[in-house]
């Protein structure tokens, strides 16, 4: 009986008048419960530009009603239209859309006199914000149900061939798990049963009217809105036992043209996938900012709040380095920094390599903070020989329960997982985040990265994680900068897989920006240029470029106190050279000592003096 539901009201946008209607138990042609808009209800006179594309059936019905005279200019509310008779619609959403001239979620927009949404009064309609789902239908036991059944008949279905008839829509997961174990005992593996429970539970219990549903067919993304409760029907071939009515959009979208985040989620290999984290991005597909703003104006939204669909698709950008940053980092010219920025933009991963003391870590940190907008978007980790995947990404670690004081192994996120989760949050996807890996070549990289090697190259894909079992993809706004000490291990020893995934930038005392760094720093600090002359003379005597001495050893305050230069040379620089010449008959002090270098500089100065 229709009178089992209370009357419902809908306030038109921008403080407009209030429409009334009632929900019927009878179902429409697409399987949703019908809704009747009462005669004398106000109707918004205009529609938004996206209305014919987003909900074509509601647009056509509205135009038909106006042409028939069922909707006319209102004498009660000047400037509005008005229904002159009761209008029966296929769903609450269709009823709301006809009145407001835009896409709408009637399960939430229609409310009782007490202010409760219509969905609260319908079994299985659920509660909370609307969500988005991917349901695969292009290869169900070899058939493309999207083209054959879903789009023509306004449905989304799920195969449940062996599931017992009469499985209720609100079944608990525990009861469903028992049913699947019994009904699929000999027809599915243990892992298949686990997957099936999750998929069936989502389709039966979590999905609700008003939710967005997506599917892929023939290389295109199709988007629709769930319009009713789930039905379990006998299916001759067992491919479509569970069904929900869906209002599909007329427009579909080429897979290759979709945003990276959507492509990444669509690569997850499950029959039903939660896309709710991308719902705002999906809602904005095919619509310009102007269209989204127009549609938002047709609601009672707070004008001070940003439109989610516009916020979600903000462009990711890396700011251009400027002269101020060049002076701060004492780089010889801004074009070099811009080239590093372009390499990061193109490759997403970059390694700064060179001898010790060339400022690799300092440059990586400060460049990342500039490009990311602050230190909050930068995380640093240092590799070492015992570093492993479990340290870097995720693994089981012993943790003490604060209540029982018992120690148990629990899944713990590593620095990359933590930063990736932060970067992929809603509202953060347009903000660059940086992971600095210091001494990247000191660990077994294949062991540390594992399957993440694949994701470094294929950012639009996702992989199943071995510990958590989740599907994971690296967000496009996560950049990696590694530093590599060539005196510790030569770049030639880096495996081909890493070389292909990272851009390599050299920081060497023989080339800029490193070769003149100390001289620029001394000038900035108002110091004598002798330390720079001594360092240049020293490096000219070192044959192997990987063992030349970087300027950062001499860019410390202690070097310029009384005796500081001699002390630094004796305790920092000469021991490095002794190690380099270990086992060779080289007099380190005679070749590299301060006295020898100063004598050589004096001799050169004498030769360069003009003759009188």
């Amino acid at each position: 009986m229709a009178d089992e539901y209370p009357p419902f009201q809908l306030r038109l946008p921008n403080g407009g008048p209030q429409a009334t209607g009632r929900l019927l138990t009878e179902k429409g042609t697409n399987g949703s419960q019908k809704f009747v808009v009462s005669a004398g209800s106000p109707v918004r006179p205009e529609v938004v530009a996206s209305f014919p594309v987003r909900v074509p059936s509601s647009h056509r019905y509205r135009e038909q009603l106006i042409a028939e005279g069922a909707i006319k200019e209102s004498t009660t509310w000047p400037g509005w239209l008005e229904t002159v008779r009761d209008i029966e619609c296929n769903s609450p959403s269709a009823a709301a859309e006809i009145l407001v001239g835009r896409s709408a979620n009637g399960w939430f927009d229609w409310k009782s006199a007490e202010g409760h949404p219509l969905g609260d009064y319908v079994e299985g309609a659920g509660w909370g914000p609307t969500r988005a789902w991917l349901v695969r239908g292009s290869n169900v036991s070899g058939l493309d149900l999207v083209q054959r059944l879903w789009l023509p008949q306004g449905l989304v279905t799920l195969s449940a061939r062996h599931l017992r008839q009469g499985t209720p829509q609100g079944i608990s997961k525990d009861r469903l798990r028992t049913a699947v174990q019994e009904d699929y005992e000999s027809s599915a593996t243990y892992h298949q049963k686990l997957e099936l429970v999750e998929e069936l539970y989502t389709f039966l219990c979590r999905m609700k009217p008003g939710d967005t549903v997506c599917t892929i067919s023939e290389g295109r993304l199709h988007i629709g809105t769930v319009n009713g409760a789930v039905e379990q029907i006998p299916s001759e071939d067992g491919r479509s036992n569970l069904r929900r009515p869906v209002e599909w959009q007329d427009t579909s979208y080429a897979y290759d043209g979709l945003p990276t985040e959507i492509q990444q989620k669509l690569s997850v290999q499950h029959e039903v996938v939660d896309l709710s984290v991308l719902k705002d991005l999906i809602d904005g597909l095919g619509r310009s900012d102007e269209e989204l703003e127009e549609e938002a104006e047709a609601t009672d939204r707070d004008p001070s709040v940003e439109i989610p669909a516009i916020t979600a698709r903000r462009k990711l950008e890396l700011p251009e380095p400027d002269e101020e940053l060049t002076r701060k980092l004492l780089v010889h010219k801004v074009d070099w920094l811009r080239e590093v920025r372009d390499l990061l933009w193109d490759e997403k991963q970059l390694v700064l390599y060179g001898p010790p003391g060339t400022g690799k870590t300092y440059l990586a940190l400060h460049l990342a903070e500039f490009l990311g907008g602050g230190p909050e978007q930068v995380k640093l980790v240092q590799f070492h020989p015992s570093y492993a995947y479990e340290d870097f990404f995720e693994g089981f670690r012993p943790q003490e329960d604060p209540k029982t004081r018992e120690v148990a192994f629990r899944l713990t996120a590593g620095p990359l997982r933590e930063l990736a989760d932060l970067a992929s949050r809603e509202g953060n996807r347009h903000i660059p985040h940086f992971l600095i890996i210091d001494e990247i070549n000191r660990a077994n990289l294949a062991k540390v990265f594992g399957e993440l090697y694949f994701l470094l190259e294929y950012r639009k894909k996702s992989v199943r994680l071995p510990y958590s079992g989740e599907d994971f993809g690296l967000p496009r706004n996560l950049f990696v900068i590694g530093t590599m000490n060539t005196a510790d291990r030569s770049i030639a020893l880096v495996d081909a897989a890493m070389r292909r995934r990272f851009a390599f930038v050299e920081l060497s005392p023989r080339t800029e920006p490193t070769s003149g760094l100390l001289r620029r720093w001394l000038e900035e600090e108002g110091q004598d240029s002798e330390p720079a002359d001594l360092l240049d003379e020293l490096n000219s005597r070192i044959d192997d470029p990987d063992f030349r001495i970087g300027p950062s050893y001499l860019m410390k305050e202690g070097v310029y106190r009384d005796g500081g230069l001699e002390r630094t040379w004796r305790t920092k620089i000469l021991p490095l050279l002794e190690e380099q010449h270990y086992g060779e008959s080289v007099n380190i002090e005679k070749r590299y000592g301060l006295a020898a270098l100063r004598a050589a500089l004096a001799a050169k100065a004498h030769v360069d003096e003009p003759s009188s």
Side-chain angles (χ1 to χ4, degrees):
M1 296 291 294
D3 58 6
E4 69 179 87
Y5 300 112
F8 293 101
Q9 305 163 349
L10 184 146
R11 176 70 64 182
L12 269 63
N14 302 318
Q18 185 170 271
T20 59
R22 64 186 187 275
L23 182 66
L24 305 180
T25 55
E26 180 186 354
K27 292 187 177 179
T29 56
N30 64 353
S32 175
Q33 284 182 251
K34 289 184 176 181
F35 191 93
V36 175
V37 178
S38 301
S41 290
V43 180
R44 187 167 178 261
E46 64 276 344
V47 301
V48 300
S50 61
F51 186 46
V53 176
R54 302 291 292 184
V55 276
S57 60
S58 294
H59 176 259
R60 288 193 296 267
Y61 191 32
R62 176 186 163 108
E63 292 295 301
Q64 177 187 331
L65 292 169
I66 292 174
E68 293 174 351
I71 296 178
K72 294 183 176 180
E73 288 188 18
S74 175
T75 56
T76 308
W77 301 285
W80 295 83
L81 302 180
E82 183 179 348
T83 59
V84 298
R85 61 171 172 83
D86 286 357
I87 296 175
E88 188 177 279
C89 302
N90 267 334
S91 70
S93 292
E97 288 161 355
I98 289 167
L99 297 180
V100 299
R102 58 169 174 79
S103 58
N105 180 5
W107 305 89
F108 181 80
D109 293 342
W110 287 104
K111 291 181 170 61
S112 66
E114 294 78 20
H116 303 304
L118 180 150
D120 288 357
Y121 298 88
V122 180
E123 185 178 350
W127 55 273
T130 55
R131 304 180 70 85
W133 308 95
L134 165 68
V135 184
R136 298 192 184 279
S138 61
N139 184 17
V140 182
S141 301
L143 289 181
D144 187 345
L145 294 185
V146 178
Q147 303 296 331
R148 182 171 178 170
L149 179 67
W150 294 9
L151 298 180
Q153 297 189 26
L155 294 172
V156 62
T157 67
L158 193 65
S159 175
R161 177 176 298 185
H162 302 291
L163 186 67
R164 63 193 63 177
Q165 286 294 318
T167 302
Q169 183 168 246
I171 188 172
S172 69
K173 185 177 284 189
D174 185 59
R175 283 182 59 200
L176 181 62
R177 187 180 295 111
T178 300
V180 169
Q181 289 292 340
E182 294 174 356
D183 298 347
Y184 289 81
E185 182 177 2
S186 60
S187 58
T189 66
Y190 172 75
H191 179 72
Q192 287 171 335
K193 292 174 188 175
L194 293 178
E195 293 280 340
L196 193 58
V197 169
E198 295 300 324
E199 292 164 2
L200 291 172
Y201 183 75
T202 297
F203 199 87
L204 284 165
C205 303
R206 298 185 65 199
M207 195 178 293
K208 64 184 185 296
D211 282 359
T212 298
V213 63
C214 305
T215 193
I216 290 285
S217 176
E218 298 180 351
R220 300 189 70 83
L221 177 70
H222 298 269
I223 302 174
T225 303
V226 178
N227 265 340
V230 67
E231 284 188 303
Q232 186 180 13
I233 65 169
S235 174
E236 292 181 4
D237 53 12
R239 292 185 175 97
S240 55
N241 310 77
L242 297 178
R243 300 185 173 193
R244 282 184 179 272
V246 171
E247 175 77 23
W248 293 102
Q249 296 177 22
D250 282 356
T251 303
S252 60
Y253 306 92
Y255 178 87
D256 292 340
L258 295 173
T260 300
E261 295 90 342
I262 295 180
Q263 289 192 36
Q264 193 178 78
K265 273 288 188 180
L266 295 179
S267 72
V268 174
Q269 296 302 306
H270 297 291
E271 294 303 306
V272 183
V273 180
D274 190 345
L275 301 180
S276 301
V277 71
L278 301 176
K279 186 179 184 304
D280 293 335
L281 203 57
I282 295 169
D283 288 344
L285 289 176
R287 291 189 284 179
S288 65
D289 288 356
E290 291 74 18
E291 289 174 317
L292 291 169
E293 289 169 355
E294 179 192 6
E295 185 165 320
E297 288 174 1
T299 67
D300 289 323
R301 62 176 287 272
D302 184 348
S304 65
V305 178
E306 290 185 287
I307 300 170
I310 295 178
T311 304
R313 65 186 186 195
R314 282 178 180 169
K315 288 185 177 180
L316 171 67
E317 295 180 347
L318 291 180
E320 287 278 353
D322 51 21
E323 292 293 344
E324 182 180 351
L325 180 66
T326 305
R327 289 191 297 270
K328 179 180 177 180
L329 298 180
L330 297 175
V331 173
H332 60 302
K333 57 181 180 179
V334 69
D335 289 345
W336 186 88
L337 286 174
R338 288 173 178 165
E339 182 179 79
V340 173
R341 178 258 183 208
D342 292 344
L343 285 172
L344 270 171
W345 180 256
D346 294 338
E347 304 294 333
K348 306 296 185 186
Q349 295 90 224
L350 178 144
V351 169
L352 302 173
Y353 71 95
T358 47
K360 300 179 291 295
T361 305
Y362 179 89
L363 179 62
L365 281 170
H366 285 78
L367 185 60
E369 289 180 7
F370 172 82
L371 296 175
E376 298 83 3
Q377 283 72 248
V378 181
K379 183 181 285 288
L380 183 141
V381 60
Q382 188 174 68
F383 280 5
H384 50 76
S386 63
Y387 209 74
Y389 174 93
E390 292 77 9
D391 304 300
F392 186 49
F393 191 73
E394 70 176 16
F396 287 97
R397 293 293 180 197
Q399 290 186 9
E400 184 181 67
D401 189 305
K403 294 182 179 179
T404 64
R405 311 295 291 178
E406 293 180 353
V407 176
F409 281 87
R410 293 182 174 85
L411 188 62
T412 304
L416 177 57
R417 182 67 195 261
E418 291 176 342
L419 189 63
D421 289 347
L422 177 64
S424 60
R425 286 181 185 173
E426 292 180 89
N428 280 358
R429 298 191 196 107
H430 66 288
I431 301 173
H433 289 68
F434 288 83
L435 179 67
I436 310 297
I437 305 178
D438 202 27
E439 306 285 4
I440 192 171
N441 56 323
R442 295 191 66 216
N444 183 333
L445 296 181
K447 180 181 178 182
V448 171
F449 278 93
E451 71 278 354
L452 302 177
Y453 253 163
F454 172 81
L455 297 179
L456 289 173
E457 188 170 6
Y458 297 97
R459 292 292 184 102
K460 296 181 180 180
K461 300 294 183 181
S462 61
V463 297
R464 179 69 64 87
L465 299 174
Y467 285 100
S468 64
E470 297 177 2
D471 294 281
F472 175 80
L474 281 174
R476 67 189 179 99
N477 59 329
L478 194 155
F479 300 84
V480 181
I481 303 178
T483 69
M484 180 181 293
N485 186 346
T486 52
D488 186 37
R489 185 184 298 178
S490 172
I491 189 175
L493 299 178
V494 177
D495 63 32
M498 183 180 174
R499 293 179 68 91
R500 190 172 71 249
R501 289 163 172 82
F502 285 77
F504 285 79
V505 175
E506 184 180 21
L507 292 179
S508 170
R510 60 184 173 177
T511 59
E512 289 285 17
T514 310
S515 60
L517 179 59
L518 179 58
R519 201 172 296 278
R520 289 190 290 274
W521 184 83
L522 291 169
E523 183 178 349
E524 188 81 13
E525 295 294 316
Q527 299 285 350
D528 186 77
S529 64
E530 185 199 27
D533 298 332
L534 290 168
L535 186 64
D536 290 343
E537 178 64 23
L538 171 68
N539 282 325
S540 70
R541 300 183 177 205
I542 301 173
D543 298 327
D544 189 337
D546 286 339
F547 288 95
R548 289 178 179 172
I549 305 301
S552 64
Y553 288 100
L554 302 178
M555 295 171 64
K556 300 176 181 179
E557 184 179 347
V559 176
Y560 301 93
R561 293 198 296 263
D562 288 343
L565 179 60
E566 288 75 10
R567 184 167 53 253
T568 299
W569 213 271
R570 184 179 69 255
T571 61
K572 297 284 189 180
I573 295 176
L574 293 183
L576 288 174
L577 298 170
E578 287 176 356
E579 182 180 352
Q580 177 190 351
H581 291 288
Y582 180 78
E584 301 176 13
S585 300
V586 175
N587 188 322
I588 299 299
E589 184 66 37
K590 185 175 181 180
R591 184 171 180 176
Y592 301 118
L594 280 178
L597 298 176
R598 281 171 171 153
L601 290 174
K604 288 181 180 180
H606 179 72
V607 170
D608 292 339
E609 287 179 0
S611 56
S612 56

